[in-house]
C-alpha cells in the first residue's frame, strides 16, 4: 500500500496549506457567479451533464448527503478511536447530527419557499396560470408546471458537503504519522482518498449546476446558504465552549490563533 500512502501524503499536504483552506469556500461563490454568467449568455455548449438524468446527478448528487455520511461516519469512528476514544467520538458524531439538522432545515425551507411563492402554469412556456392547484406537488401530479422561488438545493448541498468533509478530515494531518494497526491504517487511507474523490465529484457537479441549471439568484442563494451553514458552525459556534468543538487538528490551530 505504499502508493496509497503517497497519495494520502500529497492530499494532506494540499489541505494543510492555509491558502487552500481560505480560498476553497470562496471558490464556490466564484464558480456560481461565473457559471451563471456563462449560462445566461449561452456560451457553454450542451453536453452529457446538461441533462438532469445523467448518471452522476441521479446516483450521486440526488443522494449526496447519504454519500457524505456513508464515507464520513466510518472515517470519524476510526479516527476518534485513535485520539481520545468515546469523548471525541461523541463530539464528532454530534457535529454530524448538527450538520444533518442544517441540511434538513435548509432543504425543507427551500421547498416551503418554492411552494409559498409559486404559481401553477399549464406548461413550461405557458403564460396562462391556473388557480386550481395550490402546491407544487398537486400541480405536477396534474401534469402542469410549477414556477416559484426555486433556491438551488444542489448548490447548497454540494457546497455544504464539500466544506464539511474538508473540516472533518483535517485530523488526517495527525493520523498519517500515528501508530496504527495495519488494517486500521489501510481502511483509514481508503476512506480518506474516497472522501477526497467525493469532494472532487461535488465540485465538478457544482460546476455543471452553475453552467446548466437554475436562475442565477437561485444558485447564489443556495451557495450562500451552504457557506453560512459551514461558517456559523466551524468558524463561530464550534469555537465556543458549549458546542461539538472542532476536529483535533483544527482545534489545535484555532487555539493557537486565539491565544
Amino acid at each position: 500500500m505504499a502508493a496509497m500512502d503517497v497519495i494520502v501524503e500529497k492530499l494532506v499536504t494540499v489541505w494543510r496549506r492555509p491558502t487552500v483552506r481560505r480560498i476553497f469556500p470562496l471558490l464556490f461563490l466564484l464558480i456560481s457567479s461565473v457559471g451563471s454568467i456563462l449560462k445566461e449568455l449561452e456560451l457553454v455548449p450542451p453536453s452529457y451533464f446538461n441533462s438532469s438524468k445523467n448518471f452522476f446527478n441521479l446516483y450521486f448528487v440526488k443522494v449526496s448527503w447519504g454519500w457524505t455520511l456513508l464515507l464520513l461516519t466510518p472515517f470519524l469512528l476510526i479516527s476518534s478511536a485513535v485520539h481520545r476514544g468515546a469523548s471525541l467520538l461523541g463530539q464528532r458524531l454530534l457535529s454530524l447530527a448538527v450538520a444533518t439538522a442544517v441540511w434538513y432545515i435548509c432543504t425543507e425551507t427551500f421547498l416551503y419557499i418554492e411552494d409559498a411563492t409559486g404559481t401553477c402554469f399549464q406548461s413550461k412556456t405557458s403564460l396562462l396560470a391556473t388557480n386550481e392547484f395550490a402546491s407544487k406537488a398537486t400541480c405536477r401530479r396534474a401534469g402542469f408546471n410549477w414556477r416559484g422561488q426555486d433556491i438551488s438545493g444542489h448548490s447548497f448541498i454540494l457546497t455544504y458537503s464539500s466544506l464539511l468533509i474538508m473540516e472533518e478530515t483535517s485530523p488526517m494531518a495527525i493520523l498519517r504519522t500515528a501508530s496504527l494497526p495495519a488494517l486500521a491504517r489501510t481502511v483509514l487511507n481508503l476512506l480518506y482518498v474516497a472522501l477526497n474523490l467525493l469532494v472532487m465529484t461535488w465540485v465538478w457537479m457544482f460546476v455543471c449546476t452553475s453552467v446548466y441549471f437554475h436562475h442565477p439568484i437561485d444558485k447564489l442563494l443556495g451557495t450562500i446558504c451552504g457557506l453560512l451553514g459551514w461558517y456559523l458552525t466551524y468558524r463561530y459556534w464550534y469555537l465556543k465552549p458549549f458546542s461539538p468543538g472542532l476536529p483535533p487538528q483544527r482545534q489545535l490551530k484555532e487555539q493557537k490563533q486565539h491565544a
Side-chain angles (χ1 to χ4, degrees):
M1 298 296 288
M4 181 65 69
D5 290 334
V6 171
I7 294 171
V8 169
E9 180 67 27
K10 289 184 180 297
L11 290 171
V12 168
T13 301
V14 170
W15 286 115
R16 287 190 70 185
R17 295 173 182 167
T19 304
V20 172
R21 300 184 71 87
R22 283 197 303 268
I23 290 176
F24 189 57
L26 301 177
L27 180 65
F28 292 98
L29 281 176
L30 178 63
I31 292 173
S32 184
S33 301
V34 174
S36 294
I37 293 172
L38 294 175
K39 178 182 181 295
E40 295 304 304
L41 295 177
E42 299 182 347
L43 295 177
V44 180
S47 74
Y48 173 74
F49 292 97
N50 76 321
S51 169
S52 60
K53 295 182 179 180
N54 75 73
F55 176 84
F56 292 96
N57 189 57
L58 287 177
Y59 298 105
F60 282 88
V61 179
K62 292 288 187 182
V63 287
S64 54
W65 193 245
W67 277 108
T68 299
L69 292 182
L70 180 67
L71 294 175
L72 195 53
T73 302
F75 178 87
L76 295 180
L77 289 172
I78 297 173
S79 61
S80 298
V82 174
H83 286 287
R84 296 197 302 267
S87 174
L88 179 61
L89 176 59
Q91 290 178 321
R92 301 300 6 114
L93 292 181
L94 182 57
S95 72
L96 285 190
V98 170
T100 301
V102 171
W103 162 76
Y104 180 80
I105 291 170
C106 286
T107 52
E108 288 298 310
T109 301
F110 297 165
L111 293 174
Y112 174 79
I113 291 173
E114 187 178 10
D115 253 4
T117 61
T119 304
C120 190
F121 290 84
Q122 292 184 354
S123 69
K124 288 185 177 181
T125 57
S126 174
L127 298 178
L128 183 62
T130 173
N131 296 321
E132 185 179 352
F133 305 102
S135 71
K136 178 181 178 180
T138 56
C139 176
R140 288 199 167 177
R141 274 200 298 267
F144 296 145
N145 181 253
W146 185 265
R147 299 178 205 166
Q149 185 69 53
D150 183 19
I151 299 175
S152 176
H154 280 31
S155 294
F156 160 73
I157 194 59
L158 295 174
T159 300
Y160 188 55
S161 293
S162 297
L163 294 174
L164 176 70
I165 292 171
M166 177 188 75
E167 295 291 353
E168 292 296 338
T169 56
S170 60
M172 199 64 181
I174 300 172
L175 294 169
R176 79 186 198 285
T177 59
S179 177
L180 298 175
L183 179 60
R185 167 72 65 193
T186 300
V187 174
L188 199 64
N189 283 349
L190 288 172
L191 286 169
Y192 184 69
V193 172
L195 283 162
N196 275 273
L197 288 173
L198 197 62
V199 169
M200 294 176 196
T201 303
W202 293 164
V203 172
W204 170 246
M205 294 309 295
F206 185 87
V207 172
C208 294
T209 297
S210 299
V211 299
Y212 287 126
F213 303 101
H214 293 285
H215 294 294
I217 186 64
D218 296 330
K219 288 178 285 194
L220 183 61
L221 287 173
T223 303
I224 289 173
C225 287
L227 290 170
L228 282 175
W230 160 75
Y231 185 86
L232 292 176
T233 49
Y234 287 91
R235 291 294 183 270
Y236 181 73
W237 182 32
Y238 289 3
L239 298 177
K240 308 296 181 182
F242 298 102
S243 73
L246 294 168
Q249 180 70 3
R250 295 285 304 140
Q251 189 175 40
L252 180 62
K253 290 183 179 179
E254 295 293 344
Q255 286 173 348
K256 287 181 178 179
Q257 291 176 5
H258 289 79

